[in-house]
């Protein structure tokens, strides 16, 4: 699961910075998904250590009488632009000193290599699989790591156009195992009606919309 909407009034790429919590709408998203998952046979709930992921996981864990298993492998990807606004006109890219960070989109040069994200996310998936064999697990993470591990499982290239990620706020990307092997990947958006249109999967940015809400993942 990707976490819900975050309170981010300054519109920065918050990345792994502490202190970024769910907004009121984000908490409603988390509650909605918890209601959606209430009938499921969930025996394990894990989450990234960042506040927004922990707060998203909380109502799901509570509904199933579980504690949250914090797993650092689920954390947001490292990003050189963390704590900054990102853009050419009024963001970090207006400074030539930052241009070196975007020289290689295939690695990518601005942050944690895609391959490293695959390794840690697959490790988290396998640990959850083992903790919930014969049942179900929920892991709360962040947009980019979720999309990268899905791309790997579905045998797509890892470098991509971020605008084309299918990973809306509070969405569920489901990996189904048979034994130790992933046999299918699914995607659903139980809280879609709560997600502003410009923040939905595949939506193009709209000028003047969502300042402080569309940054980070």
């Amino acid at each position: 699961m990707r976490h819900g909407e975050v309170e981010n009034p300054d519109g920065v790429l918050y990345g792994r910075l502490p202190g970024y919590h769910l907004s009121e709408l984000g908490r409603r998203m988390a509650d909605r998904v918890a209601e959606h998952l209430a009938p499921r046979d969930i025996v394990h709930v894990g989450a990234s250590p960042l506040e927004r992921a922990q707060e998203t996981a909380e109502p799901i864990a509570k509904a199933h009488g579980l504690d949250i298993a914090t797993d650092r492998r689920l954390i947001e990807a490292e990003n050189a632009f963390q704590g900054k606004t990102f853009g050419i006109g009024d963001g970090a890219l207006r400074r030539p000193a930052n241009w070196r960070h975007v020289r290689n989109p295939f690695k990518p040069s601005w942050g944690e290599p895609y391959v490293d994200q695959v390794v840690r996310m697959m490790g988290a998936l396998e640990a959850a699989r083992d903790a919930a064999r014969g049942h179900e697990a929920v892991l709360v993470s962040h947009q980019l790591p979720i999309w990268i591990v899905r791309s790997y499982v579905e045998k797509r290239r890892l470098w991509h156009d971020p605008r084309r990620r299918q990973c809306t706020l509070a969405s569920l990307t489901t990996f189904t195992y048979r034994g130790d092997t992933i046999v299918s990947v699914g995607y659903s958006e139980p809280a879609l009606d709560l997600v502003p249109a410009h923040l939905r999967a595949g939506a193009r940015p709209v000028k003047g919309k969502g300042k402080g809400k569309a940054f980070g993942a």
Side-chain angles (χ1 to χ4, degrees):
M1 179 182 177
R2 183 184 173 192
H3 61 78
E5 185 194 58
V6 175
E7 190 67 35
N8 181 15
D10 296 325
V12 301
L13 283 162
Y14 36 79
R16 295 181 175 182
L17 292 174
Y20 283 87
H21 297 266
L22 293 182
S23 65
E24 181 179 348
L25 178 58
R27 292 182 181 277
R28 288 171 56 202
M29 292 176 182
D31 289 340
R32 172 69 63 79
V33 178
E35 292 171 8
H36 173 77
L37 294 175
R40 307 296 301 190
D41 183 23
I42 294 167
V43 300
H44 177 81
V45 176
S48 156
L50 297 174
E51 292 96 334
R52 57 193 184 272
Q54 294 280 318
E55 292 163 359
T56 299
E58 184 177 356
I60 300 170
K62 183 177 180 181
H64 294 274
L66 300 169
D67 294 326
I68 299 170
T70 300
D71 189 337
R72 187 168 177 81
R73 291 173 293 190
L74 297 169
I75 200 168
E76 173 64 291
E78 290 181 318
N79 193 308
F81 297 103
Q82 176 177 290
K84 304 173 183 177
T85 56
F86 185 80
I88 297 174
D90 59 353
L93 289 184
R94 69 180 177 179
R95 298 183 58 193
N98 287 326
W99 294 352
R100 61 188 174 87
H101 294 304
V102 294
R103 69 185 182 277
N104 182 0
F106 305 105
K107 187 179 179 180
S109 52
W110 55 83
E112 182 182 11
Y114 292 137
V115 172
D116 291 357
Q117 294 179 55
V118 168
V119 171
R120 64 177 173 86
M121 289 293 286
M122 286 300 298
L125 281 176
E126 290 163 3
R129 173 202 66 198
D130 292 342
R133 281 192 184 272
H135 306 277
E136 295 180 86
V138 175
L139 302 177
V140 182
S141 186
H142 308 268
Q143 185 190 62
L144 179 54
I146 294 171
W147 181 250
I148 288 300
V149 75
R150 177 180 171 183
S151 296
Y152 170 77
V153 169
E154 294 184 328
K155 303 186 186 310
R156 287 194 303 273
R157 67 190 186 198
L158 301 183
W159 60 273
H160 60 283
D161 181 345
R163 297 169 298 180
R164 297 186 179 275
R165 296 174 190 159
Q166 188 184 41
C167 194
T168 294
L169 290 165
S171 61
L172 296 170
T173 300
T174 304
F175 299 87
T176 301
Y177 281 85
R178 181 176 295 132
D180 291 344
T181 303
I182 296 173
V183 295
S184 67
V185 179
Y187 179 78
S188 60
E189 298 173 334
L192 182 61
D193 62 303
L194 299 177
V195 180
H198 65 286
L199 296 182
R200 296 178 185 179
R204 293 185 175 276
V206 178
K207 187 176 181 179
K209 289 283 188 179
K211 182 177 180 182
K213 300 182 185 298
F215 300 91

